[in-house]
Amino acid sequence: MTTTPATPVTADRTDSRTAVVTGASSGIGAATARALAAEGFRVVCAARRRDRIEELAAEIGGVAVACDVTDPASVATLAATVGEELSVLVNNAGGAFGSGTVETADPADWRAMYEVNVLGVLHVTQALLPALRASGDGLIVNVGSTAGRIAYEGGGGYTAAKHGTQVVTETLRLELCGEPIRVSEIAPGMVRTDEFSLVRFDGDRAKADAVYAGVPDPLVAEDVADAISWIATRPSHVNIDELVIRPRAQAAQHKVHREA
């Protein structure tokens, strides 16, 4: 795997396949956009922060679209920009907000997590399914989490939302069986990115850093992006239903090796 910036797409490197990556302004989304561009895709980088995705799109020869996946009108603009055919959709936009117990959690945080992790996937998938179908060989990769497979204290809202992502993925695969569209989920474990834990703990750097304290070599965004790129480049008849990816130091959600 390489973490060097992708060479901008040119006419002799691509077969005109288009990929959409939501949440492309940072972390796994930005790394995935670079990885798919390196494979020859024309990448539509979608996120709310226009300045970041414009810089990324310029770097990889892609297209920047300001998009809030929780807003159907914004998603419709994304679909119009994509056009009639789409080969790959990576539903990466998501997030965790707060770490309260079920007893103390702010319902607004839970609502926001459901909106982006579940309804966001729904809005974007509904809008882009016609273009995926028209390509004759479409792929949807939903970015879930190991939190979508097991519960843990203080994570009720996030685990509920990511369980939702998983079930939406499974249901969609059943409903599209027989059509030329593959449906996959990638479920990362402990990934250290610039923003995920910082957002979850409302900007508290000490709490965010404590998540990874003593953990030798947690995953980084490029590790997950490399796996997504691998899924996207399998032969058309090969569907990777789900791929759980963790660092070696994390044997399970509750079992993490930490060095003193």
Side-chain angles (χ1 to χ4, degrees):
M1 182 195 71
T2 179
T3 60
T4 56
T7 303
V9 176
T10 58
D12 60 350
R13 291 186 63 248
T14 181
D15 59 4
S16 299
R17 294 173 300 167
T18 298
V20 167
V21 180
T22 66
S25 61
S26 65
I28 292 171
T32 299
R34 292 187 178 99
L36 292 176
E39 292 292 341
F41 287 92
R42 167 184 173 266
V43 182
V44 178
C45 307
R48 291 177 300 172
R49 292 177 289 189
R50 181 184 293 275
D51 57 336
R52 292 197 178 192
I53 54 173
E54 286 180 346
E55 181 179 349
L56 175 62
E59 173 192 328
I60 64 175
V63 178
V65 179
C67 179
D68 178 352
V69 299
T70 69
D71 179 0
S74 183
V75 172
T77 298
L78 171 63
T81 302
V82 169
E84 295 182 356
E85 293 190 10
L86 175 65
S87 294
V88 175
L89 166 60
V90 181
N91 280 312
N92 167 73
F97 313 121
S99 58
T101 64
V102 172
E103 181 179 11
T104 64
D106 184 346
D109 287 339
W110 284 43
R111 187 173 297 110
M113 284 186 278
Y114 191 83
E115 285 279 352
V116 67
N117 291 290
V118 182
L119 293 182
V121 170
L122 177 66
H123 293 320
V124 177
T125 301
Q126 287 181 332
L128 295 180
L129 261 178
L132 287 159
R133 188 174 285 121
S135 74
D137 183 19
L139 168 67
I140 299 169
V141 181
N142 292 334
V143 179
S145 170
T146 53
R149 283 147 177 81
I150 189 168
Y152 57 89
E153 298 96 326
Y158 184 61
T159 57
K162 283 304 187 184
H163 274 76
T165 303
Q166 181 192 32
V167 172
V168 168
T169 306
E170 293 175 347
T171 304
L172 187 62
R173 188 182 305 116
L174 293 170
E175 293 173 348
L176 296 180
C177 184
E179 296 200 42
I181 302 174
R182 294 175 287 158
V183 182
S184 299
E185 181 197 6
I186 186 163
M190 182 173 281
V191 185
R192 182 161 200 162
T193 62
D194 292 337
E195 297 185 353
F196 180 83
S197 290
L198 199 61
V199 170
R200 183 170 203 172
F201 294 112
D202 198 26
D204 188 321
R205 174 61 69 180
K207 287 184 178 180
D209 289 345
V211 173
Y212 310 100
V215 179
D217 301 319
L219 296 179
V220 294
E222 287 77 12
D223 296 321
V224 182
D226 182 54
I228 294 172
S229 176
W230 177 77
I231 293 172
T233 53
R234 294 312 85 207
S236 298
H237 69 286
V238 176
N239 190 87
I240 308 301
D241 283 10
E242 61 180 43
L243 196 163
V244 176
I245 176 171
R246 308 179 195 264
R248 183 173 59 187
Q250 185 182 31
Q253 203 74 4
H254 61 283
K255 181 68 173 179
V256 179
H257 170 67
R258 297 179 189 269
E259 297 177 342

